[in-house]
Coordinates of all heavy atoms in Angstrom, one line a residue:
W21 N 8.1 5.6 -0.6 CA 7.6 5.8 -2.0 C 8.6 5.4 -3.0 O 8.3 4.8 -4.0 CB 7.1 7.2 -2.2 CG 6.2 7.7 -1.2 CD1 6.3 8.8 -0.3 CD2 4.9 7.1 -0.8 NE1 5.3 8.9 0.5 CE2 4.4 7.9 0.3 CE3 4.2 6.0 -1.2 CZ2 3.2 7.6 0.9 CZ3 3.0 5.7 -0.6 CH2 2.5 6.5 0.4
K22 N 9.9 5.8 -2.7 CA 11.0 5.4 -3.6 C 11.2 3.9 -3.7 O 11.3 3.3 -4.7 CB 12.3 6.1 -3.2 CG 13.5 5.8 -4.1 CD 14.7 6.6 -3.7 CE 15.4 5.9 -2.6 NZ 16.7 6.5 -2.2
H23 N 11.1 3.3 -2.5 CA 11.3 1.8 -2.4 C 10.1 1.1 -3.1 O 10.3 0.1 -3.7 CB 11.4 1.4 -0.9 CG 12.6 1.9 -0.2 ND1 13.9 1.7 -0.6 CD2 12.7 2.7 0.9 CE1 14.7 2.3 0.2 NE2 14.0 2.9 1.1
L24 N 8.9 1.6 -2.9 CA 7.7 1.0 -3.5 C 7.9 1.1 -5.1 O 7.6 0.1 -5.8 CB 6.5 1.7 -3.0 CG 5.2 1.0 -3.2 CD1 5.1 -0.3 -2.5 CD2 4.0 1.9 -2.7
A25 N 8.3 2.2 -5.6 CA 8.5 2.4 -7.0 C 9.6 1.5 -7.5 O 9.4 0.9 -8.6 CB 8.8 3.8 -7.3
Q26 N 10.6 1.3 -6.8 CA 11.7 0.4 -7.2 C 11.2 -1.1 -7.2 O 11.5 -1.8 -8.1 CB 12.9 0.5 -6.2 CG 13.7 1.8 -6.4 CD 14.7 2.0 -5.3 OE1 14.7 1.4 -4.2 NE2 15.6 2.9 -5.5
A27 N 10.4 -1.4 -6.2 CA 9.9 -2.8 -6.1 C 8.9 -3.0 -7.3 O 9.0 -4.1 -7.9 CB 9.1 -3.0 -4.8
R28 N 8.1 -2.0 -7.7 CA 7.3 -2.1 -8.8 C 8.1 -2.3 -10.1 O 7.7 -3.1 -10.9 CB 6.4 -0.9 -8.9 CG 5.4 -1.0 -10.0 CD 4.8 0.4 -10.4 NE 5.9 1.2 -10.8 CZ 6.1 2.5 -10.5 NH1 5.2 3.1 -9.8 NH2 7.1 3.2 -10.9
D29 N 9.1 -1.5 -10.2 CA 10.0 -1.6 -11.4 C 10.6 -3.0 -11.5 O 10.8 -3.6 -12.6 CB 11.1 -0.6 -11.4 CG 10.5 0.8 -11.6 OD1 9.3 1.0 -12.0 OD2 11.2 1.8 -11.3
C30 N 11.0 -3.6 -10.4 CA 11.6 -5.0 -10.4 C 10.5 -6.0 -10.9 O 10.9 -6.9 -11.6 CB 12.0 -5.4 -9.0 SG 13.5 -4.6 -8.5
I31 N 9.3 -5.8 -10.5 CA 8.2 -6.7 -11.0 C 8.1 -6.5 -12.6 O 8.1 -7.5 -13.3 CB 6.9 -6.3 -10.4 CG1 6.9 -6.7 -8.9 CG2 5.7 -7.0 -11.1 CD1 5.7 -6.2 -8.1
Y32 N 8.1 -5.3 -13.1 CA 8.0 -5.1 -14.5 C 9.2 -5.6 -15.3 O 9.1 -6.0 -16.4 CB 7.8 -3.6 -14.8 CG 6.5 -3.1 -14.5 CD1 6.3 -1.8 -13.8 CD2 5.3 -3.8 -14.8 CE1 5.1 -1.3 -13.5 CE2 4.1 -3.3 -14.5 CZ 4.0 -2.0 -13.8 OH 2.7 -1.5 -13.5
Q33 N 10.4 -5.7 -14.6 CA 11.6 -6.2 -15.3 C 11.6 -7.7 -15.4 O 12.4 -8.3 -16.1 CB 12.8 -5.7 -14.6 CG 13.0 -4.2 -14.8 CD 14.1 -3.7 -13.9 OE1 14.8 -4.4 -13.2 NE2 14.3 -2.4 -13.9
N34 N 10.7 -8.4 -14.6 CA 10.7 -9.9 -14.6 C 9.5 -10.2 -15.6 O 8.4 -10.3 -15.2 CB 10.4 -10.4 -13.2 CG 10.4 -11.9 -13.2 OD1 10.1 -12.6 -14.1 ND2 10.7 -12.4 -12.0
Y35 N 9.9 -10.5 -16.9 CA 8.9 -10.7 -17.9 C 8.1 -12.0 -17.7 O 7.0 -12.1 -18.0 CB 9.6 -10.8 -19.3 CG 10.3 -9.4 -19.6 CD1 11.7 -9.3 -19.8 CD2 9.5 -8.3 -19.7 CE1 12.3 -8.1 -20.0 CE2 10.1 -7.1 -20.0 CZ 11.5 -7.0 -20.2 OH 12.1 -5.8 -20.5
E36 N 8.8 -13.0 -17.1 CA 8.0 -14.2 -16.8 C 6.9 -13.9 -15.8 O 5.8 -14.4 -15.9 CB 9.0 -15.3 -16.2 CG 8.4 -16.6 -15.8 CD 9.4 -17.5 -15.1 OE1 10.5 -17.7 -15.7 OE2 9.1 -18.0 -14.0
L37 N 7.2 -13.1 -14.8 CA 6.2 -12.8 -13.8 C 5.1 -11.9 -14.4 O 3.9 -12.2 -14.1 CB 6.9 -12.0 -12.6 CG 6.0 -11.4 -11.5 CD1 5.1 -12.5 -10.9 CD2 6.8 -10.7 -10.5
V38 N 5.5 -11.0 -15.2 CA 4.5 -10.1 -15.9 C 3.6 -11.0 -16.7 O 2.3 -10.8 -16.7 CB 5.2 -9.0 -16.7 CG1 4.2 -8.3 -17.6 CG2 5.9 -8.0 -15.8
D39 N 4.1 -12.0 -17.4 CA 3.3 -12.8 -18.3 C 2.3 -13.6 -17.4 O 1.1 -13.8 -17.8 CB 4.1 -13.8 -19.1 CG 4.9 -13.1 -20.2 OD1 4.5 -12.0 -20.6 OD2 5.8 -13.7 -20.7
K40 N 2.8 -14.1 -16.2 CA 1.9 -14.8 -15.4 C 0.8 -13.9 -14.8 O -0.4 -14.3 -14.7 CB 2.6 -15.5 -14.2 CG 3.5 -16.7 -14.7 CD 4.2 -17.3 -13.5 CE 5.0 -18.5 -14.0 NZ 5.5 -19.3 -13.0
I41 N 1.1 -12.7 -14.5 CA 0.1 -11.8 -14.0 C -0.9 -11.5 -15.1 O -2.1 -11.5 -14.8 CB 0.8 -10.4 -13.5 CG1 1.6 -10.7 -12.3 CG2 -0.3 -9.4 -13.3 CD1 2.5 -9.5 -11.9
K42 N -0.5 -11.3 -16.3 CA -1.4 -11.1 -17.4 C -2.3 -12.3 -17.6 O -3.5 -12.2 -17.8 CB -0.7 -10.8 -18.7 CG -0.1 -9.4 -18.7 CD 0.7 -9.1 -19.9 CE 1.3 -7.7 -19.9 NZ 2.1 -7.4 -21.1
M43 N -1.8 -13.5 -17.5 CA -2.6 -14.7 -17.6 C -3.6 -14.8 -16.5 O -4.8 -15.1 -16.8 CB -1.7 -16.0 -17.6 CG -0.9 -16.2 -18.9 SD -0.1 -17.9 -18.9 CE 1.0 -17.8 -17.5
Y44 N -3.2 -14.4 -15.3 CA -4.1 -14.5 -14.2 C -5.2 -13.5 -14.3 O -6.4 -13.7 -14.0 CB -3.3 -14.2 -12.9 CG -4.2 -14.3 -11.7 CD1 -4.6 -15.5 -11.1 CD2 -4.7 -13.2 -11.1 CE1 -5.5 -15.6 -10.0 CE2 -5.6 -13.2 -10.0 CZ -5.9 -14.5 -9.5 OH -6.8 -14.5 -8.4
E45 N -4.9 -12.3 -14.9 CA -5.9 -11.3 -15.1 C -7.0 -11.8 -16.1 O -8.2 -11.5 -16.0 CB -5.3 -10.0 -15.6 CG -4.5 -9.2 -14.5 CD -3.8 -8.0 -15.0 OE1 -3.6 -7.9 -16.3 OE2 -3.4 -7.2 -14.2
K46 N -6.5 -12.5 -17.1 CA -7.5 -13.0 -18.1 C -8.3 -14.2 -17.6 O -9.5 -14.3 -17.9 CB -6.7 -13.5 -19.4 CG -6.1 -12.3 -20.2 CD -5.4 -12.9 -21.4 CE -4.7 -11.7 -22.1 NZ -3.9 -12.2 -23.2
S47 N -7.7 -15.0 -16.8 CA -8.3 -16.2 -16.3 C -7.8 -16.5 -14.9 O -6.9 -17.2 -14.7 CB -8.1 -17.4 -17.3 OG -8.7 -18.5 -16.8
P48 N -8.5 -16.0 -13.9 CA -8.1 -16.2 -12.5 C -8.0 -17.7 -12.2 O -8.9 -18.5 -12.5 CB -9.1 -15.5 -11.6 CG -9.7 -14.5 -12.5 CD -9.7 -15.1 -13.9
N49 N -6.9 -18.1 -11.6 CA -6.6 -19.5 -11.3 C -5.9 -19.5 -9.9 O -4.8 -18.9 -9.8 CB -5.8 -20.1 -12.4 CG -5.3 -21.5 -12.1 OD1 -5.0 -21.9 -11.0 ND2 -5.2 -22.2 -13.2
P50 N -6.4 -20.2 -8.9 CA -5.8 -20.2 -7.6 C -4.3 -20.7 -7.6 O -3.5 -20.2 -6.9 CB -6.6 -21.1 -6.8 CG -7.9 -21.2 -7.5 CD -7.6 -20.9 -8.9
K51 N -4.0 -21.7 -8.5 CA -2.7 -22.2 -8.5 C -1.7 -21.2 -9.1 O -0.6 -21.0 -8.6 CB -2.6 -23.5 -9.4 CG -1.3 -24.1 -9.5 CD -1.3 -25.4 -10.4 CE 0.1 -25.9 -10.5 NZ 0.3 -26.8 -11.6
L52 N -2.1 -20.5 -10.2 CA -1.3 -19.5 -10.8 C -1.1 -18.3 -9.8 O 0.0 -17.7 -9.7 CB -2.0 -19.0 -12.1 CG -1.2 -17.9 -12.9 CD1 0.2 -18.4 -13.2 CD2 -2.0 -17.6 -14.1
R53 N -2.2 -18.0 -9.0 CA -2.1 -16.9 -8.0 C -1.0 -17.2 -7.0 O -0.2 -16.4 -6.6 CB -3.4 -16.7 -7.4 CG -3.5 -15.6 -6.3 CD -4.9 -15.5 -5.8 NE -5.0 -14.3 -4.9 CZ -4.8 -14.3 -3.6 NH1 -4.5 -15.4 -3.0 NH2 -4.9 -13.2 -2.9
L54 N -1.0 -18.5 -6.5 CA 0.1 -18.9 -5.6 C 1.5 -18.8 -6.2 O 2.4 -18.4 -5.5 CB -0.2 -20.3 -5.1 CG -1.3 -20.5 -4.1 CD1 -1.5 -21.9 -3.7 CD2 -1.0 -19.7 -2.8
E55 N 1.6 -19.2 -7.4 CA 2.9 -19.1 -8.1 C 3.3 -17.6 -8.1 O 4.5 -17.3 -7.9 CB 2.8 -19.6 -9.6 CG 2.7 -21.1 -9.7 CD 2.6 -21.5 -11.1 OE1 3.2 -20.9 -12.0 OE2 1.9 -22.5 -11.4
I56 N 2.4 -16.7 -8.5 CA 2.8 -15.3 -8.6 C 3.2 -14.8 -7.2 O 4.2 -14.1 -7.1 CB 1.5 -14.5 -9.1 CG1 1.3 -14.8 -10.6 CG2 1.7 -13.0 -8.9 CD1 0.0 -14.3 -11.1
Y57 N 2.5 -15.2 -6.1 CA 2.8 -14.7 -4.8 C 4.1 -15.3 -4.2 O 4.5 -14.8 -3.1 CB 1.6 -14.9 -3.9 CG 0.6 -13.7 -4.0 CD1 -0.4 -13.7 -4.9 CD2 0.7 -12.6 -3.1 CE1 -1.3 -12.7 -5.1 CE2 -0.2 -11.6 -3.2 CZ -1.2 -11.6 -4.2 OH -2.0 -10.6 -4.3
H58 N 4.7 -16.2 -4.9 CA 5.9 -16.8 -4.4 C 7.1 -16.1 -5.0 O 8.3 -16.4 -4.5 CB 6.0 -18.3 -4.6 CG 5.2 -19.1 -3.6 ND1 3.9 -19.5 -3.8 CD2 5.6 -19.5 -2.4 CE1 3.5 -20.1 -2.7 NE2 4.5 -20.2 -1.8
Y59 N 6.9 -15.2 -5.9 CA 8.1 -14.5 -6.5 C 8.6 -13.5 -5.4 O 7.8 -12.8 -4.8 CB 7.6 -13.7 -7.7 CG 7.7 -14.6 -9.0 CD1 6.6 -15.4 -9.3 CD2 8.7 -14.6 -9.8 CE1 6.6 -16.2 -10.4 CE2 8.8 -15.3 -11.0 CZ 7.7 -16.1 -11.3 OH 7.7 -16.9 -12.4
N60 N 9.9 -13.4 -5.3 CA 10.5 -12.4 -4.4 C 10.1 -11.0 -4.7 O 9.9 -10.2 -3.7 CB 12.0 -12.5 -4.3 CG 12.5 -13.8 -3.6 OD1 11.8 -14.3 -2.7 ND2 13.6 -14.3 -4.0
E61 N 9.9 -10.7 -5.9 CA 9.5 -9.3 -6.3 C 8.1 -8.9 -5.7 O 7.9 -7.8 -5.3 CB 9.5 -9.1 -7.8 CG 10.8 -9.2 -8.5 CD 11.2 -10.7 -8.9 OE1 10.6 -11.6 -8.4 OE2 12.1 -10.8 -9.7
I62 N 7.2 -9.9 -5.8 CA 5.9 -9.7 -5.3 C 5.9 -9.6 -3.8 O 5.2 -8.8 -3.2 CB 4.9 -10.8 -5.8 CG1 4.7 -10.8 -7.3 CG2 3.6 -10.7 -5.1 CD1 4.0 -9.5 -7.8

Side-chain angles (χ1 to χ4, degrees):
W21 308 121
K22 183 174 83 172
H23 296 304
L24 198 60
Q26 289 170 344
R28 183 199 60 220
D29 292 344
C30 287
I31 291 171
Y32 287 136
Q33 291 171 6
N34 185 332
Y35 298 115
E36 178 182 311
L37 175 56
V38 171
D39 287 342
K40 287 184 179 187
I41 292 170
K42 288 178 181 178
M43 283 191 300
Y44 182 79
E45 287 174 346
K46 289 180 184 174
S47 177
N49 173 327
K51 183 181 176 197
L52 184 56
R53 183 178 187 267
L54 283 176
E55 285 180 36
I56 291 168
Y57 275 85
H58 279 95
Y59 277 84
N60 287 331
E61 294 90 342
I62 295 294

